[in-house]
Amino acid sequence: MGSVRVLGLYLTILAVLATNTAKEITSNRRSFEVDYENDQFLKDGQPFRYVSGSLHYFRVPREYWQDRLRKLRAAGLNVVSTYIEWSRHEPRRGQYDFTGDNDIEHFIKLAEQEGLLVILRPGPYICAERDLGGYPPWILHENLKMILRTNDSSHTHHVRSWLEVFLRKIQPYLYGNGGPVIMVQIENEYGSYPICDRRYTFWLRDIFQSYIGSNAVLFTTDGNGSFYLRCGPIPGVFITVDFGHGVNVMNAFKPLRAVQPHGPLVNSEFYTGWLTHWGEPEESGASTSGVVNTTRSLLAMNASLNFFMFFGGTNFGFTSGANNPPFQPQLTSYNYDAPISEAGDLTDKYFAIKSVISEFFPIAEIPVGNSSKGSYGRLVLEPKISLRDSDTGIVYNNTTYPQTFEALELYSGLLWYETTLPLDFSGTSLLMADDLHDRAIVYINKTAVGVLSRSTTTSMFISEGAGQPLSLLVENQGHINYGQMMDLKGLVKNVTLDGEVLTDWKQTGYPLDNVSHVATLPTVEHVDLPAFYSARFQLPEGLETPLDTFVDMTGWSKGVLYVNGHNLGRYWPVEGPQVTLYLPGPYLFQYPDYNTILVLELEKIHPDRTIEFVPAPIWRLKFYV
């Protein structure tokens, strides 16, 4: 009988201990939530607000992630915000990449290591001035009539597959699971999209909730006008807005308060600068005083904010997008006039923002500074081979009518279309390429006779050439990333000569994603444009670490630049305003190893075939007469 009492007492003690342990676990569980009643966030039960900065991991080499994150923290920011670019992580259908510069888990860990919380913005549409707004271009091949950002089943099938992979991967990093991710955005500025498909946004919400749960706050962001908030918000999801400097912030938040009367006020994209397009007269930006004054107003009213951008970076390769209408391709540089420059330097704007933040929050002294830059001199590039003669093309089957890039599964670079002018062609006739996407050099018998562009004109008069080859070298200048985005590339409609449709087309695609071997070809006396040019060079002996530099393309016309296999992006100095391309130090080899530079020039070479490495970017003002 006594043993039974002892056993009963023992079980009672275990039950009490188990209850206390469960209560302790519950009370100690990390939480980040919206306190609507008191218009604030709660972090582990305590009032919280954030000062965040946008820094996109895909616009800076992995080797510099920690440096850029540390500079955010040193300015007094407590959160970093980044888009997640679907196209980088699934470059081909079903082939996922989270390694190297795509290692988002490593980026999140570094942010936490630097004392930053994290906001993730995985879209799937992100805009971000990126090609197709972050969508992988292969999705257009799956259904050439697909309607993006809607409940179109051919679209949601791929979205679901991607989100299931990504959201599962980030679950361990959610704040409620012990990680630094406090918020996750659904879609992006959906209220600005011309199609309002609530079935789609509700469907997205349910997918996100199934993976995020209460372990982070789900939110949307839209422009701060009532029109944008008509379709952007999603029931059950926290709402934020975007606006820039020079506004009355109380008035700027009124449309938000009309749809969400309570909860913390958040500006999810407070613009520190602006994007720039090719052909604009100068780099866009925003005044430091305006940004500082509006920052002070936001912080004084207890709002949270995200500086967009705090560090802009670079659209390496063919990742920049375009706006439309009118069609305006965006620069390779994404400097954005941000507080931290494209090369990671701290600007006057950085220190001015840090100063105003210090009026509201204590800022720890974290040593950060600017890096030295390399002036590696001038190089003479040697001709290697014409594009036509190279082995970098993909020859497709001949077709009666021209095919688009997407129909041929070509997602970057150039597409060379060739047919034959009619035998009875004589005199002067009008060549038309309606719906040309985006820009074409026109050749008759391999001689360039003009340029067509969706930005200027898609027609021209030609004379002579009966029975001669007519070809159009069409460049994909970046898929549209805002508004109506169904943007097929190439000759989207038939080409006509005096109204008669030209048929029987040969097509050769040049994705330009694997051309490094061209630099190893022997030098030749002469090449016909477009053509590859190359040179090898060594860094100075005794240089401990390769320094960042900028490649000055003055004197060249239009093309693509590669260094040691890295595609630095498009150059177009004759159009401007960007003249130089940023070359990060990690892309260079130390002495005594040789570095290789490769240029594909489309239209006109430098008279001396030279490029120069300079220590600062060059922006050229363009004057219109």
Side-chain angles (χ1 to χ4, degrees):
M1 190 72 177
S3 61
V4 172
R5 290 196 186 97
V6 171
L7 178 61
L9 179 62
Y10 176 70
L11 292 174
T12 301
I13 292 171
L14 283 179
V16 171
L17 287 173
T19 302
N20 288 342
T21 302
K23 288 179 179 178
E24 183 179 348
I25 290 172
T26 301
S27 63
N28 289 340
R29 184 180 182 276
R30 289 157 54 99
S31 64
F32 187 82
E33 57 190 330
V34 177
D35 177 2
Y36 286 98
E37 184 177 349
N38 295 298
D39 299 333
Q40 63 187 358
F41 291 110
L42 293 177
K43 178 172 169 284
D44 300 328
Q46 298 300 312
F48 177 83
R49 65 170 167 158
Y50 63 82
V51 181
S52 171
S54 285
L55 188 169
H56 301 151
Y57 63 97
F58 45 79
R59 282 188 162 118
V60 60
R62 174 192 176 109
E63 292 88 345
Y64 286 159
W65 286 351
Q66 189 158 22
D67 172 81
R68 306 301 191 263
L69 290 164
R70 183 167 295 174
K71 287 171 177 173
L72 260 70
R73 190 71 185 102
L77 279 63
N78 56 0
V79 175
V80 61
S81 171
T82 184
Y83 283 124
I84 306 297
E85 190 170 35
W86 179 6
S87 61
R88 286 185 70 91
H89 297 291
E90 194 179 0
R92 288 288 184 269
R93 180 180 177 182
Q95 298 177 13
Y96 297 100
D97 183 2
F98 292 95
T99 64
D101 288 350
N102 296 332
D103 189 351
I104 183 61
E105 291 179 88
H106 181 61
F107 181 84
I108 293 172
K109 291 174 184 177
L110 285 177
E112 184 174 32
Q113 184 178 321
E114 293 300 323
L116 293 164
L117 297 168
V118 177
I119 294 173
L120 297 179
R121 308 176 70 186
Y125 164 75
I126 63 172
C127 184
E129 290 70 64
R130 299 288 278 189
D131 186 64
L132 202 60
Y135 273 94
W138 56 256
I139 200 171
L140 300 179
H141 172 78
E142 301 296 312
N143 176 5
L144 297 178
K145 296 183 179 180
M146 179 186 296
I147 306 176
L148 300 176
R149 303 178 72 187
T150 71
N151 210 41
D152 179 338
S153 60
S154 65
H155 167 248
T156 56
H157 168 74
H158 298 296
V159 171
R160 178 187 291 277
S161 296
W162 155 242
L163 287 178
E164 287 177 346
V165 169
F166 173 72
L167 293 176
R168 188 178 296 116
K169 182 173 285 290
I170 66 160
Q171 278 183 316
Y173 303 99
L174 301 176
Y175 191 80
N177 292 333
V181 177
I182 56 171
M183 300 178 73
V184 179
Q185 182 179 312
I186 302 176
E187 239 278 341
N188 186 51
E189 297 178 335
Y190 195 73
S192 300
Y193 194 49
I195 300 173
C196 179
D197 188 343
R198 298 186 193 280
R199 294 173 304 163
Y200 174 58
T201 56
F202 291 11
W203 174 82
L204 275 180
R205 174 200 60 196
D206 295 344
I207 289 181
F208 274 82
Q209 284 182 340
S210 68
Y211 286 92
I212 305 302
S214 61
N215 293 306
V217 169
L218 294 177
F219 74 105
T220 61
T221 191
D222 281 287
N224 68 318
S226 57
F227 172 82
Y228 303 114
L229 293 168
R230 172 186 55 87
C231 195
I234 306 171
V237 177
F238 179 62
I239 306 168
T240 73
V241 291
D242 306 336
F243 55 84
H245 70 87
V247 301
N248 179 306
V249 295
M250 292 293 293
N251 290 337
F253 279 122
K254 282 183 179 179
L256 171 63
R257 278 294 182 237
V259 296
Q260 184 173 268
H262 295 286
L265 295 172
V266 178
N267 184 343
S268 284
E269 288 190 9
F270 176 50
Y271 304 110
T272 62
W274 199 246
L275 65 134
T276 309
H277 304 96
W278 292 111
E280 290 183 337
E282 59 185 331
E283 182 190 14
S284 300
S287 74
T288 295
S289 60
V291 171
V292 165
N293 290 337
T294 306
T295 298
R296 182 177 288 110
S297 297
L298 286 164
L299 295 178
M301 65 184 302
N302 202 38
S304 292
L305 70 147
N306 173 60
F307 292 103
F308 190 98
M309 301 288 300
F310 208 79
F311 165 78
T314 309
N315 294 315
F316 293 112
F318 301 118
T319 57
S320 59
N323 287 113
N324 191 66
F327 183 75
Q328 295 177 292
Q330 290 141 5
L331 298 183
T332 298
S333 172
Y334 199 67
N335 185 60
Y336 209 83
D337 191 29
I340 303 175
S341 76
E342 181 177 13
D345 292 334
L346 309 181
T347 66
D348 291 343
K349 186 177 289 184
Y350 175 95
F351 292 106
I353 289 174
K354 178 177 180 178
S355 178
V356 74
I357 292 173
S358 71
E359 298 173 14
F360 298 87
F361 301 97
I363 299 179
E365 285 299 322
I366 300 172
V368 292
N370 297 341
S371 63
S372 299
K373 304 297 184 293
S375 298
Y376 299 129
R378 191 180 295 268
L379 277 181
V380 177
L381 304 186
E382 302 296 343
K384 292 295 179 177
I385 194 170
S386 294
L387 180 67
R388 272 183 180 272
D389 298 329
S390 73
D391 63 355
T392 61
I394 304 168
V395 178
Y396 303 102
N397 293 330
N398 290 7
T399 58
T400 302
Y401 303 106
Q403 303 296 296
T404 64
F405 279 60
E406 290 74 20
L408 298 171
E409 297 186 78
L410 178 68
Y411 303 119
S412 63
L414 307 163
L415 185 52
W416 211 317
Y417 297 87
E418 186 172 328
T419 187
T420 303
L421 288 169
L423 290 172
D424 59 356
F425 165 60
S426 61
T428 300
S429 295
L430 182 64
L431 179 73
M432 294 192 67
D434 284 344
D435 276 2
L436 163 66
H437 293 178
D438 298 309
R439 186 177 187 273
I441 305 173
V442 181
Y443 300 83
I444 296 178
N445 198 20
K446 298 185 180 180
T447 299
V449 296
V451 173
L452 302 177
S453 169
R454 70 191 289 187
S455 299
T456 53
T457 180
T458 57
S459 65
M460 62 181 291
F461 286 99
I462 60 173
S463 58
E464 301 181 351
Q468 298 294 320
L470 167 73
S471 57
L472 291 84
L473 181 61
V474 178
E475 178 189 0
N476 171 356
Q477 294 184 288
H479 290 89
I480 294 167
N481 53 248
Y482 183 81
Q484 189 59 258
M485 300 193 322
M486 195 57 186
D487 184 28
L488 301 180
K489 297 300 185 182
L491 298 177
V492 179
K493 290 185 178 179
N494 289 325
V495 177
T496 63
L497 188 66
D498 282 343
E500 296 295 321
V501 174
L502 298 177
T503 58
D504 299 324
W505 291 89
K506 173 185 175 182
Q507 291 142 128
T508 305
Y510 297 89
L512 302 178
D513 57 359
N514 186 20
V515 297
S516 297
H517 66 284
V518 174
T520 67
L521 296 175
T523 296
V524 296
E525 289 272 334
H526 171 78
V527 288
D528 292 323
L529 293 175
F532 291 99
Y533 296 79
S534 183
R536 300 175 74 213
F537 65 100
Q538 292 174 297
L539 297 187
E541 186 176 1
L543 187 65
E544 291 186 4
T545 304
L547 304 177
D548 293 355
T549 187
F550 292 85
V551 186
D552 182 2
M553 300 305 296
T554 298
W556 297 79
S557 181
K558 192 178 200 307
V560 187
L561 175 66
Y562 305 82
V563 175
N564 294 332
H566 296 279
N567 185 341
L568 299 191
R570 304 176 179 96
Y571 66 85
W572 200 2
V574 296
E575 190 71 5
Q578 181 181 355
V579 176
T580 50
L581 289 177
Y582 171 56
L583 171 52
Y587 290 178
L588 293 169
F589 302 139
Q590 287 180 269
Y591 182 90
D593 292 338
Y594 279 88
N595 296 275
T596 301
I597 188 165
L598 179 68
V599 167
L600 171 63
E601 172 58 49
L602 300 180
E603 296 180 25
K604 183 180 179 182
I605 66 171
H606 189 290
D608 301 323
R609 300 199 314 272
T610 58
I611 58 95
E612 186 174 5
F613 299 104
V614 295
I618 298 173
W619 295 88
R620 179 164 296 149
L621 296 178
K622 186 170 182 178
F623 299 98
Y624 296 96
V625 179

